[in-house]
Amino acid sequence: MATLVLLFPLLLLLGSAVPYVLQAPLLLGYGCLVLTSTIVIFYLAYTRYADPAVHPPRAHRRRDTDLFVPLPAQPTVSFLVAVRNEESGIEACVHSMVAGDLDGVQVIVVDDASTDGTPDILRELARELPIEVLFLEENVGKKRALVRAMERAEGEVIAFTDSDCVLAADALSRCVTALVRHPELGAVSGHARALNAEQSILSRAQDVWYEGQFRVIKAAESVFGAVTCVSGPLAVFRRGAIYNYLPAWAEDRFLGAEFRFATDRQLTGYVLGQRYHGRDLKRRHADSPFVRDVNHPELAWRTSYVRSARVWTTVPDRLRPFLRQQIRWKKSFIRNIFFTGTFIWRRGVGAAALYYVHVLWVLAAPVLVIRHLLWAPLNGMWLMTWLYLSGVVIKGFFWGMAFRFGADGSSRWRYRLVMSLLSSVLLSWLLPYAAATIRRTTWFRGAS
Protein backbone atom coordinates (compact mmCIF):
# COMPACT_ATOMS: atom_id res chain seq x y z
CA MET A 1 0.00 0.00 0.00
CA ALA A 2 2.82 2.42 0.84
CA THR A 3 4.33 1.78 -2.58
CA LEU A 4 1.05 2.63 -4.31
CA VAL A 5 0.73 5.82 -2.28
CA LEU A 6 4.19 6.91 -3.40
CA LEU A 7 3.85 5.89 -7.03
CA PHE A 8 0.32 7.05 -7.86
CA PRO A 9 1.06 10.83 -7.88
CA LEU A 10 4.22 10.20 -9.90
CA LEU A 11 2.25 8.20 -12.45
CA LEU A 12 -0.25 11.08 -12.73
CA LEU A 13 2.60 13.52 -13.35
CA LEU A 14 4.06 11.23 -16.01
CA GLY A 15 0.72 10.85 -17.76
CA SER A 16 0.08 14.60 -17.79
CA ALA A 17 3.54 15.30 -19.25
CA VAL A 18 3.29 12.94 -22.22
CA PRO A 19 1.11 15.22 -24.46
CA TYR A 20 3.73 17.98 -24.27
CA VAL A 21 6.73 15.88 -25.30
CA LEU A 22 6.17 16.64 -29.00
CA GLN A 23 6.44 20.39 -28.35
CA ALA A 24 9.89 20.18 -26.73
CA PRO A 25 10.96 16.60 -27.33
CA LEU A 26 14.51 16.77 -25.98
CA LEU A 27 13.82 18.64 -22.75
CA LEU A 28 10.48 17.08 -21.88
CA GLY A 29 11.66 13.67 -23.06
CA TYR A 30 14.48 13.89 -20.56
CA GLY A 31 12.01 14.89 -17.86
CA CYS A 32 9.79 11.92 -18.65
CA LEU A 33 12.82 9.63 -18.55
CA VAL A 34 13.76 10.92 -15.10
CA LEU A 35 10.21 10.52 -13.81
CA THR A 36 9.80 7.06 -15.33
CA SER A 37 13.13 5.94 -13.89
CA THR A 38 12.16 7.23 -10.46
CA ILE A 39 8.93 5.23 -10.57
CA VAL A 40 10.80 2.08 -11.60
CA ILE A 41 13.42 2.52 -8.87
CA PHE A 42 10.77 2.97 -6.18
CA TYR A 43 8.89 -0.06 -7.46
CA LEU A 44 12.00 -2.25 -7.39
CA ALA A 45 13.11 -1.05 -3.95
CA TYR A 46 9.75 -1.50 -2.25
CA THR A 47 8.38 -4.60 -3.96
CA ARG A 48 11.30 -6.66 -5.31
CA TYR A 49 14.19 -6.14 -2.90
CA ALA A 50 14.93 -8.84 -0.32
CA ASP A 51 17.59 -8.43 2.37
CA PRO A 52 20.12 -11.22 1.66
CA ALA A 53 20.95 -11.55 5.37
CA VAL A 54 17.32 -12.36 6.13
CA HIS A 55 15.94 -14.12 3.06
CA PRO A 56 17.22 -17.41 1.62
CA PRO A 57 18.32 -17.65 -2.03
CA ARG A 58 15.56 -17.51 -4.63
CA ALA A 59 14.24 -20.82 -5.89
CA HIS A 60 15.59 -20.48 -9.43
CA ARG A 61 19.24 -21.30 -10.02
CA ARG A 62 21.70 -19.50 -12.24
CA ARG A 63 23.48 -21.62 -14.81
CA ASP A 64 26.86 -20.88 -13.22
CA THR A 65 25.80 -21.46 -9.61
CA ASP A 66 28.12 -24.44 -9.17
CA LEU A 67 31.16 -22.24 -9.88
CA PHE A 68 30.73 -20.40 -6.58
CA VAL A 69 32.27 -22.30 -3.68
CA PRO A 70 30.16 -21.73 -0.54
CA LEU A 71 31.79 -20.21 2.50
CA PRO A 72 31.86 -22.24 5.72
CA ALA A 73 29.07 -21.53 8.16
CA GLN A 74 31.47 -19.50 10.31
CA PRO A 75 34.13 -18.06 8.00
CA THR A 76 37.19 -16.26 9.25
CA VAL A 77 36.84 -12.48 9.01
CA SER A 78 39.37 -9.65 8.79
CA PHE A 79 38.10 -6.13 9.51
CA LEU A 80 40.24 -3.26 8.19
CA VAL A 81 40.24 0.51 8.52
CA ALA A 82 42.67 3.17 7.31
CA VAL A 83 42.92 6.41 9.26
CA ARG A 84 44.59 9.77 8.81
CA ASN A 85 44.14 12.65 11.27
CA GLU A 86 40.92 11.40 12.88
CA GLU A 87 41.70 11.89 16.55
CA SER A 88 38.14 12.97 17.34
CA GLY A 89 36.42 9.88 15.99
CA ILE A 90 38.81 6.96 15.64
CA GLU A 91 38.35 5.67 19.21
CA ALA A 92 34.59 5.23 18.79
CA CYS A 93 35.15 3.63 15.39
CA VAL A 94 37.65 1.03 16.66
CA HIS A 95 35.58 0.23 19.73
CA SER A 96 32.56 -0.50 17.52
CA MET A 97 34.69 -2.72 15.25
CA VAL A 98 35.79 -4.80 18.24
CA ALA A 99 32.42 -4.83 20.03
CA GLY A 100 30.55 -6.69 17.27
CA ASP A 101 28.77 -9.98 17.91
CA LEU A 102 31.15 -12.02 15.73
CA ASP A 103 33.87 -13.92 17.58
CA GLY A 104 37.48 -14.08 16.46
CA VAL A 105 37.44 -11.14 14.05
CA GLN A 106 40.92 -9.97 13.05
CA VAL A 107 40.90 -6.16 13.37
CA ILE A 108 43.67 -4.23 11.62
CA VAL A 109 44.03 -0.45 11.80
CA VAL A 110 46.45 1.40 9.51
CA ASP A 111 47.59 4.89 10.45
CA ASP A 112 48.50 6.67 7.22
CA ALA A 113 51.15 9.02 8.64
CA SER A 114 48.76 11.08 10.78
CA THR A 115 50.11 14.42 11.99
CA ASP A 116 47.66 14.97 14.88
CA GLY A 117 47.06 12.92 18.03
CA THR A 118 45.70 9.88 16.18
CA PRO A 119 48.85 7.70 16.58
CA ASP A 120 48.85 8.18 20.37
CA ILE A 121 45.18 7.20 20.57
CA LEU A 122 45.83 4.09 18.48
CA ARG A 123 48.77 3.03 20.67
CA GLU A 124 46.54 3.26 23.73
CA LEU A 125 43.77 1.31 21.98
CA ALA A 126 46.27 -1.40 20.98
CA ARG A 127 47.12 -1.88 24.65
CA GLU A 128 43.45 -2.22 25.61
CA LEU A 129 41.88 -4.08 22.69
CA PRO A 130 42.65 -7.15 20.53
CA ILE A 131 43.67 -5.14 17.47
CA GLU A 132 46.74 -4.83 15.28
CA VAL A 133 47.93 -1.32 14.37
CA LEU A 134 50.26 -0.50 11.50
CA PHE A 135 51.98 2.90 11.51
CA LEU A 136 53.08 4.19 8.12
CA GLU A 137 55.85 6.77 8.14
CA GLU A 138 54.83 8.24 4.77
CA ASN A 139 51.33 9.18 3.62
CA VAL A 140 50.39 6.75 0.84
CA GLY A 141 46.63 7.30 0.51
CA LYS A 142 43.68 5.23 1.63
CA LYS A 143 43.87 2.50 -1.01
CA ARG A 144 47.57 1.78 -0.57
CA ALA A 145 47.17 1.89 3.21
CA LEU A 146 44.43 -0.74 3.08
CA VAL A 147 46.50 -2.92 0.76
CA ARG A 148 49.28 -2.80 3.37
CA ALA A 149 46.73 -4.13 5.85
CA MET A 150 45.67 -6.81 3.37
CA GLU A 151 49.21 -8.18 3.44
CA ARG A 152 48.42 -9.27 7.02
CA ALA A 153 44.71 -10.06 6.64
CA GLU A 154 43.93 -13.76 6.97
CA GLY A 155 40.14 -13.82 6.66
CA GLU A 156 38.02 -15.61 4.09
CA VAL A 157 35.84 -12.50 4.36
CA ILE A 158 37.38 -9.02 4.18
CA ALA A 159 35.46 -6.09 5.63
CA PHE A 160 36.26 -2.38 5.42
CA THR A 161 34.87 0.62 7.24
CA ASP A 162 35.73 4.31 7.30
CA SER A 163 37.55 5.91 10.20
CA ASP A 164 34.65 8.25 11.05
CA CYS A 165 32.04 5.49 11.35
CA VAL A 166 30.35 3.62 14.19
CA LEU A 167 28.74 0.23 13.59
CA ALA A 168 25.78 -1.55 15.14
CA ALA A 169 26.87 -4.64 17.06
CA ASP A 170 25.32 -7.00 14.49
CA ALA A 171 26.20 -5.02 11.34
CA LEU A 172 29.23 -7.08 10.32
CA SER A 173 27.65 -10.42 11.24
CA ARG A 174 24.62 -9.65 9.07
CA CYS A 175 26.85 -8.94 6.08
CA VAL A 176 28.79 -12.14 6.67
CA THR A 177 25.51 -14.06 6.95
CA ALA A 178 24.48 -12.68 3.54
CA LEU A 179 27.72 -13.92 1.97
CA VAL A 180 27.34 -17.35 3.61
CA ARG A 181 23.71 -17.75 2.50
CA HIS A 182 24.36 -16.55 -1.04
CA PRO A 183 27.60 -18.02 -2.46
CA GLU A 184 27.28 -15.96 -5.66
CA LEU A 185 27.69 -12.70 -3.72
CA GLY A 186 31.19 -11.28 -3.99
CA ALA A 187 30.45 -8.11 -2.01
CA VAL A 188 27.73 -6.51 0.09
CA SER A 189 27.13 -3.00 1.39
CA GLY A 190 25.65 -2.07 4.75
CA HIS A 191 23.06 0.67 5.37
CA ALA A 192 24.53 4.04 6.37
CA ARG A 193 22.99 7.02 8.15
CA ALA A 194 24.50 10.21 9.57
CA LEU A 195 26.14 9.86 12.98
CA ASN A 196 25.96 13.61 13.64
CA ALA A 197 22.56 14.30 12.12
CA GLU A 198 21.52 16.78 14.82
CA GLN A 199 24.45 19.18 14.35
CA SER A 200 23.06 21.36 11.58
CA ILE A 201 20.43 21.68 8.86
CA LEU A 202 23.05 20.42 6.40
CA SER A 203 23.77 17.27 8.41
CA ARG A 204 20.03 16.56 8.80
CA ALA A 205 19.56 16.92 5.05
CA GLN A 206 22.41 14.49 4.40
CA ASP A 207 20.96 11.99 6.88
CA VAL A 208 17.68 11.91 4.96
CA TRP A 209 19.58 11.73 1.66
CA TYR A 210 21.68 8.77 2.88
CA GLU A 211 18.52 6.88 3.79
CA GLY A 212 17.20 7.21 0.24
CA GLN A 213 20.51 6.41 -1.43
CA PHE A 214 20.71 3.13 0.46
CA ARG A 215 17.11 2.09 1.11
CA VAL A 216 15.95 2.95 -2.42
CA ILE A 217 18.87 3.22 -4.86
CA LYS A 218 21.04 0.38 -3.55
CA ALA A 219 17.98 -1.79 -2.96
CA ALA A 220 16.92 -1.34 -6.61
CA GLU A 221 20.43 -2.19 -7.84
CA SER A 222 20.50 -5.18 -5.51
CA VAL A 223 17.50 -6.68 -7.29
CA PHE A 224 19.79 -7.24 -10.29
CA GLY A 225 22.82 -8.24 -8.23
CA ALA A 226 24.70 -5.17 -9.38
CA VAL A 227 25.18 -2.61 -6.60
CA THR A 228 27.78 -0.46 -8.37
CA CYS A 229 29.20 1.15 -5.22
CA VAL A 230 29.66 -1.03 -2.15
CA SER A 231 30.07 1.97 0.11
CA GLY A 232 32.96 2.65 2.48
CA PRO A 233 31.05 2.90 5.78
CA LEU A 234 30.61 -0.89 5.64
CA ALA A 235 31.91 -2.81 2.63
CA VAL A 236 32.26 -6.58 2.99
CA PHE A 237 33.89 -8.81 0.35
CA ARG A 238 34.64 -12.43 -0.39
CA ARG A 239 38.43 -12.65 -0.29
CA GLY A 240 38.59 -14.37 -3.66
CA ALA A 241 36.50 -11.65 -5.30
CA ILE A 242 39.06 -8.89 -4.70
CA TYR A 243 42.43 -10.36 -3.71
CA ASN A 244 44.03 -10.53 -7.17
CA TYR A 245 42.89 -6.99 -8.01
CA LEU A 246 44.29 -5.16 -5.01
CA PRO A 247 47.47 -4.06 -6.87
CA ALA A 248 45.35 -2.66 -9.70
CA TRP A 249 43.19 -0.87 -7.14
CA ALA A 250 46.13 0.61 -5.23
CA GLU A 251 47.97 1.70 -8.39
CA ASP A 252 44.97 2.83 -10.41
CA ARG A 253 45.86 5.47 -12.97
CA PHE A 254 43.62 7.83 -14.91
CA LEU A 255 44.60 10.39 -17.53
CA GLY A 256 48.25 9.55 -17.04
CA ALA A 257 48.38 10.08 -13.27
CA GLU A 258 47.75 8.02 -10.15
CA PHE A 259 44.13 8.28 -9.07
CA ARG A 260 43.82 8.15 -5.29
CA PHE A 261 40.03 8.39 -5.14
CA ALA A 262 37.34 5.93 -6.41
CA THR A 263 38.10 3.64 -3.49
CA ASP A 264 34.55 2.25 -3.15
CA ARG A 265 33.32 2.40 -6.72
CA GLN A 266 36.49 1.07 -8.31
CA LEU A 267 36.89 -1.93 -6.00
CA THR A 268 33.22 -2.76 -6.57
CA GLY A 269 33.90 -2.45 -10.29
CA TYR A 270 36.61 -5.11 -10.04
CA VAL A 271 34.12 -7.49 -8.40
CA LEU A 272 31.45 -6.92 -11.05
CA GLY A 273 33.76 -6.68 -14.05
CA GLN A 274 36.47 -9.26 -13.48
CA ARG A 275 35.03 -11.65 -16.06
CA TYR A 276 35.65 -8.99 -18.69
CA HIS A 277 38.79 -7.24 -17.41
CA GLY A 278 40.17 -9.58 -14.75
CA ARG A 279 42.80 -11.40 -16.78
CA ASP A 280 44.18 -8.18 -18.22
CA LEU A 281 44.38 -6.61 -14.74
CA LYS A 282 46.21 -9.66 -13.41
CA ARG A 283 48.60 -9.61 -16.34
CA ARG A 284 49.52 -5.98 -15.71
CA HIS A 285 50.41 -6.78 -12.10
CA ALA A 286 51.79 -10.29 -12.54
CA ASP A 287 54.83 -9.55 -10.36
CA SER A 288 52.74 -8.63 -7.32
CA PRO A 289 52.45 -11.31 -4.62
CA PHE A 290 48.70 -10.68 -4.65
CA VAL A 291 48.67 -12.12 -8.17
CA ARG A 292 51.77 -14.30 -8.29
CA ASP A 293 51.09 -16.39 -5.18
CA VAL A 294 47.44 -17.30 -5.73
CA ASN A 295 45.09 -17.17 -8.70
CA HIS A 296 41.37 -16.87 -8.03
CA PRO A 297 38.99 -17.61 -10.93
CA GLU A 298 37.27 -14.70 -12.67
CA LEU A 299 33.63 -15.21 -11.75
CA ALA A 300 30.40 -13.33 -12.48
CA TRP A 301 30.03 -12.25 -8.87
CA ARG A 302 26.91 -10.42 -7.79
CA THR A 303 26.91 -7.50 -5.38
CA SER A 304 24.12 -6.70 -2.96
CA TYR A 305 22.93 -4.45 -0.15
CA VAL A 306 22.11 -5.55 3.40
CA ARG A 307 19.47 -3.19 4.75
CA SER A 308 19.62 -4.68 8.24
CA ALA A 309 23.38 -3.97 8.64
CA ARG A 310 23.38 -0.52 10.24
CA VAL A 311 26.32 1.86 10.33
CA TRP A 312 26.55 5.56 11.11
CA THR A 313 29.04 7.90 9.45
CA THR A 314 30.07 11.43 10.37
CA VAL A 315 28.91 13.81 7.65
CA PRO A 316 30.12 17.37 6.99
CA ASP A 317 28.06 19.82 9.02
CA ARG A 318 29.40 22.94 7.30
CA LEU A 319 29.26 23.95 3.66
CA ARG A 320 32.97 24.10 2.78
CA PRO A 321 33.92 20.54 3.87
CA PHE A 322 30.66 19.31 2.35
CA LEU A 323 31.61 20.77 -1.02
CA ARG A 324 35.10 19.25 -0.78
CA GLN A 325 33.54 15.86 -0.15
CA GLN A 326 31.13 16.24 -3.06
CA ILE A 327 33.95 17.21 -5.43
CA ARG A 328 35.89 14.11 -4.36
CA TRP A 329 32.84 11.92 -4.98
CA LYS A 330 32.23 13.45 -8.41
CA LYS A 331 35.82 12.79 -9.41
CA SER A 332 35.34 9.17 -8.37
CA PHE A 333 32.10 9.04 -10.38
CA ILE A 334 33.81 10.39 -13.51
CA ARG A 335 36.73 8.00 -13.24
CA ASN A 336 34.43 5.02 -12.68
CA ILE A 337 32.39 5.72 -15.80
CA PHE A 338 35.48 4.78 -17.82
CA PHE A 339 35.70 1.41 -16.07
CA THR A 340 32.28 0.16 -14.96
CA GLY A 341 30.64 1.92 -17.89
CA THR A 342 32.58 -0.28 -20.33
CA PHE A 343 31.06 -3.58 -19.16
CA ILE A 344 27.90 -3.01 -17.10
CA TRP A 345 25.75 -3.44 -20.22
CA ARG A 346 26.86 -7.09 -20.19
CA ARG A 347 25.40 -7.60 -16.70
CA GLY A 348 21.82 -7.56 -17.97
CA VAL A 349 19.20 -5.05 -19.09
CA GLY A 350 18.08 -4.05 -15.59
CA ALA A 351 21.55 -3.40 -14.21
CA ALA A 352 22.59 -1.54 -17.35
CA ALA A 353 19.47 0.64 -17.42
CA LEU A 354 19.87 1.73 -13.80
CA TYR A 355 23.54 2.54 -14.30
CA TYR A 356 23.39 4.40 -17.61
CA VAL A 357 20.25 6.39 -16.72
CA HIS A 358 21.97 7.50 -13.52
CA VAL A 359 25.03 8.56 -15.54
CA LEU A 360 22.73 10.53 -17.85
CA TRP A 361 21.11 12.25 -14.84
CA VAL A 362 24.44 13.38 -13.47
CA LEU A 363 25.96 14.47 -16.77
CA ALA A 364 22.85 16.37 -17.85
CA ALA A 365 22.39 18.18 -14.54
CA PRO A 366 24.83 21.08 -15.24
CA VAL A 367 23.26 21.66 -18.67
CA LEU A 368 19.77 21.78 -17.20
CA VAL A 369 20.86 24.17 -14.46
CA ILE A 370 22.44 26.53 -16.98
CA ARG A 371 19.35 26.41 -19.16
CA HIS A 372 16.78 26.92 -16.40
CA LEU A 373 18.59 29.10 -13.88
CA LEU A 374 20.72 31.27 -16.19
CA TRP A 375 19.57 31.21 -19.79
CA ALA A 376 15.81 31.25 -19.08
CA PRO A 377 15.85 34.26 -16.68
CA LEU A 378 18.19 36.22 -18.98
CA ASN A 379 15.66 35.72 -21.75
CA GLY A 380 12.68 36.64 -19.62
CA MET A 381 11.44 33.04 -19.38
CA TRP A 382 10.79 33.07 -15.65
CA LEU A 383 8.02 30.50 -15.98
CA MET A 384 10.55 27.92 -17.16
CA THR A 385 12.72 28.65 -14.12
CA TRP A 386 9.74 28.37 -11.80
CA LEU A 387 8.62 25.09 -13.36
CA TYR A 388 12.12 23.64 -13.03
CA LEU A 389 12.42 24.55 -9.36
CA SER A 390 8.87 23.32 -8.73
CA GLY A 391 9.78 19.98 -10.28
CA VAL A 392 12.85 19.75 -8.05
CA VAL A 393 10.74 20.40 -4.96
CA ILE A 394 8.06 17.91 -6.00
CA LYS A 395 10.63 15.19 -6.61
CA GLY A 396 12.25 15.98 -3.26
CA PHE A 397 8.84 15.70 -1.60
CA PHE A 398 8.35 12.15 -2.87
CA TRP A 399 11.84 11.17 -1.74
CA GLY A 400 10.96 12.71 1.61
CA MET A 401 7.82 10.58 1.78
CA ALA A 402 9.95 7.52 1.07
CA PHE A 403 12.09 8.49 4.06
CA ARG A 404 9.04 8.91 6.25
CA PHE A 405 7.68 5.49 5.30
CA GLY A 406 11.08 3.89 5.87
CA ALA A 407 12.12 5.72 9.02
CA ASP A 408 9.15 5.11 11.32
CA GLY A 409 7.31 8.31 10.47
CA SER A 410 10.19 10.65 11.26
CA SER A 411 9.38 14.32 10.73
CA ARG A 412 12.91 14.82 9.39
CA TRP A 413 11.61 13.94 5.90
CA ARG A 414 11.18 17.65 5.12
CA TYR A 415 14.97 18.09 4.99
CA ARG A 416 14.96 16.03 1.79
CA LEU A 417 13.53 19.12 0.09
CA VAL A 418 16.62 21.05 1.23
CA MET A 419 18.90 18.40 -0.24
CA SER A 420 17.01 18.36 -3.53
CA LEU A 421 17.31 22.12 -3.94
CA LEU A 422 20.95 22.04 -2.85
CA SER A 423 21.75 19.29 -5.35
CA SER A 424 20.08 21.07 -8.26
CA VAL A 425 21.07 24.67 -7.55
CA LEU A 426 24.59 24.19 -6.16
CA LEU A 427 26.02 20.67 -6.49
CA SER A 428 25.33 20.39 -10.22
CA TRP A 429 27.95 23.06 -10.83
CA LEU A 430 30.61 20.92 -9.18
CA LEU A 431 30.73 18.30 -11.94
CA PRO A 432 32.53 20.53 -14.50
CA TYR A 433 34.91 21.70 -11.77
CA ALA A 434 35.60 18.12 -10.69
CA ALA A 435 36.34 17.17 -14.30
CA ALA A 436 38.68 20.15 -14.76
CA THR A 437 40.62 19.36 -11.56
CA ILE A 438 40.44 15.58 -11.68
CA ARG A 439 44.22 15.16 -11.50
CA ARG A 440 44.24 16.73 -8.02
CA THR A 441 43.79 13.67 -5.83
CA THR A 442 44.87 14.51 -2.29
CA TRP A 443 43.25 12.16 0.24
CA PHE A 444 41.64 13.78 3.23
CA ARG A 445 38.75 12.93 5.48
CA GLY A 446 36.88 14.86 8.09
CA ALA A 447 33.52 16.46 8.46
CA SER A 448 34.68 19.88 9.48
Side-chain angles (χ1 to χ4, degrees):
M1 180 61 68
T3 304
L4 292 176
V5 171
L6 285 171
L7 293 185
F8 184 69
L10 292 175
L11 289 169
L12 287 180
L13 281 174
L14 179 61
S16 64
V18 169
Y20 300 100
V21 172
L22 295 178
Q23 300 177 27
L26 186 60
L27 183 61
L28 291 176
Y30 173 83
C32 286
L33 175 63
V34 170
L35 188 54
T36 302
S37 302
T38 302
I39 293 171
V40 170
I41 289 170
F42 272 72
Y43 170 77
L44 292 171
Y46 284 95
T47 68
R48 302 291 296 168
Y49 168 75
D51 188 327
V54 177
H55 296 276
R58 295 182 184 276
H60 68 272
R61 288 171 58 88
R62 289 171 46 176
R63 287 177 296 177
D64 58 353
T65 298
D66 294 337
L67 297 176
F68 300 96
V69 179
L71 287 166
Q74 296 180 333
T76 55
V77 179
S78 297
F79 203 179
L80 282 53
V81 64
V83 57
R84 176 171 170 80
N85 296 341
E86 284 281 355
E87 60 182 352
S88 63
I90 190 58
E91 185 172 359
C93 175
V94 174
H95 273 287
S96 73
M97 294 172 71
V98 174
D101 59 4
L102 272 181
D103 294 328
V105 176
Q106 179 190 23
V107 176
I108 303 176
V109 183
V110 189
D111 179 73
D112 192 16
S114 293
T115 57
D116 62 357
T118 299
D120 293 333
I121 294 173
L122 292 178
R123 290 187 185 96
E124 183 64 28
L125 289 173
R127 286 191 287 267
E128 300 173 1
L129 302 173
I131 65 173
E132 181 177 356
V133 182
L134 307 179
F135 294 97
L136 305 184
E137 295 183 358
E138 179 182 354
N139 173 236
V140 297
K142 181 179 178 180
K143 289 186 291 187
R144 290 181 181 271
L146 289 173
V147 171
R148 296 280 185 89
M150 278 297 300
E151 294 173 357
R152 299 171 179 255
E154 300 172 353
E156 297 161 291
V157 172
I158 307 296
F160 302 109
T161 188
D162 288 333
S163 53
D164 56 359
C165 293
V166 172
L167 298 101
D170 63 347
L172 180 58
S173 65
R174 285 182 174 275
C175 289
V176 173
T177 297
L179 295 180
V180 170
R181 285 189 167 195
H182 303 264
E184 75 281 4
L185 289 180
V188 293
S189 171
H191 180 96
R193 291 282 296 273
L195 180 63
N196 57 329
E198 298 302 329
Q199 282 192 303
S200 68
I201 292 176
L202 182 59
S203 61
R204 292 187 188 97
Q206 290 173 86
D207 181 50
V208 179
W209 179 82
Y210 267 76
E211 175 74 14
Q213 290 300 110
F214 284 84
R215 180 176 290 273
V216 179
I217 301 297
K218 290 193 190 301
E221 291 182 320
S222 191
V223 171
F224 302 107
V227 173
T228 53
C229 182
V230 174
S231 300
L234 182 56
V236 185
F237 299 86
R238 286 278 296 256
R239 184 185 186 91
I242 60 171
Y243 192 80
N244 291 148
Y245 309 103
L246 294 174
W249 185 52
E251 301 168 23
D252 183 38
R253 298 182 68 81
F254 186 59
L255 298 178
E258 180 180 346
F259 195 78
R260 301 180 86 182
F261 300 148
T263 53
D264 310 335
R265 289 183 182 276
Q266 199 66 9
L267 192 58
T268 308
Y270 293 145
V271 177
L272 290 171
Q274 60 187 250
R275 282 193 63 182
Y276 321 111
H277 297 290
R279 292 184 182 179
D280 182 53
L281 290 169
K282 292 178 184 178
R283 187 164 47 248
R284 293 183 201 173
H285 301 276
D287 294 334
S288 168
F290 287 100
V291 180
R292 185 183 63 240
D293 296 347
V294 61
N295 182 34
H296 295 282
E298 302 90 18
L299 299 177
W301 296 104
R302 294 167 69 88
T303 56
S304 191
Y305 151 67
V306 181
R307 179 178 291 167
S308 57
R310 311 288 290 188
V311 57
W312 293 267
T313 182
T314 304
V315 301
D317 60 354
R318 295 184 296 109
L319 187 59
R320 186 174 179 181
F322 173 69
L323 293 179
R324 288 203 306 261
Q325 179 199 66
Q326 293 297 313
I327 291 169
R328 186 173 74 245
W329 286 1
K330 290 187 183 300
K331 289 181 180 182
S332 297
F333 169 80
I334 293 168
R335 192 274 172 267
N336 189 250
I337 290 174
F338 291 89
F339 184 76
T340 300
T342 65
F343 68 78
I344 198 68
W345 58 273
R346 303 172 75 170
R347 298 283 312 195
V349 174
L354 289 180
Y355 181 84
Y356 292 121
V357 169
H358 174 66
V359 169
L360 177 62
W361 284 2
V362 177
L363 296 182
V367 177
L368 294 175
V369 169
I370 291 172
R371 178 181 176 87
H372 291 91
L373 301 185
L374 289 182
W375 180 83
L378 289 174
N379 287 273
M381 304 175 68
W382 291 98
L383 179 61
M384 180 180 290
T385 299
W386 181 84
L387 288 173
Y388 173 75
L389 292 176
S390 297
V392 169
V393 171
I394 290 172
K395 186 179 176 184
F397 171 79
F398 287 113
W399 279 99
M401 289 296 96
F403 173 85
R404 187 169 185 177
F405 279 116
D408 300 323
S410 172
S411 61
R412 196 177 294 165
W413 67 268
R414 65 195 70 178
Y415 291 99
R416 188 58 174 83
L417 305 180
V418 175
M419 196 66 183
S420 293
L421 286 170
L422 190 64
S423 297
S424 299
V425 175
L426 180 60
L427 301 187
S428 298
W429 298 98
L430 298 182
L431 185 67
Y433 177 80
T437 61
I438 200 164
R439 289 166 65 94
R440 298 184 201 165
T441 55
T442 302
W443 178 47
F444 53 83
R445 293 199 60 82
S448 59

